[in-house]
Amino acid sequence: MTAFARFLGEKAERYIELRHSLGYAFSKQAGTLRAFVRYVERAQLDAPATRTMALDFALSFGGAANSRVTRHGVLRQFYEYLAVYDVRTVALERRAFPRSRAITPPRILTDAEWRRSSTHAPAFRQAPLSEGGRWRR
C-alpha cells in the first residue's frame, strides 16, 4: 500500500465518522469512498488527489449515468474535506457529468394545456358514475 493510499484511507474513515456524527446515514456514500481508496491502492496512484483520478474512478463502473454523477458528487464533497489536510488537492467541478434526462421533470399544465390535451385523449375522460359509485363501461 502506498503512503498516499494509506493517507487517503485514514481521511476517508475520518470523513465517514464525521458525517455519521452529524446525523447522516451515509452508508452508500461510505461504500463509494472505500471503493475509491481501493481503486487508488490497486492503481498505485500517488498524491495529490486530482480531477483525473476522480473522473477515472467514476467512469470505472458500469451503470446508469446518474450513478456516475452520484459517485462524482460523493468524491467532490470528500475532496473539499481532503483539501484541509492536503492543499494540493484540487476542487472537482460540480457539473463534470450531465444528469440523464430520460425521465423528464414533472410540470403542472395550465388550464388551456389541460383542455387541449383532454380533447385529444377521449380514453382519459371521466365516464359518469352509475348508481352504487361504480364506473359505467
Side-chain angles (χ1 to χ4, degrees):
M1 177 183 282
T2 66
F4 177 62
R6 191 172 16 265
F7 167 78
L8 198 63
E10 291 171 5
K11 296 307 173 193
E13 291 303 320
R14 297 299 162 266
Y15 182 67
I16 292 166
E17 288 173 12
L18 173 65
R19 298 298 289 211
H20 282 294
S21 73
L22 293 173
Y24 294 99
F26 211 69
S27 57
K28 288 184 180 180
Q29 297 90 336
T32 299
L33 287 177
R34 289 180 180 123
F36 178 63
V37 172
R38 286 191 304 273
Y39 172 81
V40 168
E41 184 179 346
R42 272 194 310 259
Q44 298 199 352
L45 300 173
D46 203 9
T50 63
R51 288 184 184 114
T52 304
M53 198 181 291
L55 291 172
D56 289 346
F57 169 74
L59 291 170
S60 67
F61 292 88
N66 282 345
S67 61
R68 289 189 294 271
V69 172
T70 302
R71 282 191 294 275
H72 188 265
V74 170
L75 289 181
R76 186 177 54 78
Q77 292 176 343
F78 175 63
Y79 270 41
E80 290 174 6
Y81 171 84
L82 192 61
V84 172
Y85 300 98
D86 185 0
V87 295
R88 299 173 300 161
T89 303
V90 295
L92 299 180
E93 296 175 28
R94 185 174 201 79
R95 297 182 188 264
F97 293 102
R99 281 219 180 249
S100 171
R101 295 294 177 202
I103 300 173
T104 58
R107 71 179 191 90
I108 298 173
L109 299 175
T110 66
D111 289 338
E113 289 172 323
W114 175 252
R115 276 193 297 283
R116 198 170 38 249
S117 68
S118 64
T119 59
H120 297 297
F124 293 112
R125 289 190 196 145
Q126 288 185 352
L129 291 175
S130 66
E131 292 181 30
R134 297 192 180 215
W135 293 102
R136 278 191 278 169
R137 295 179 192 209

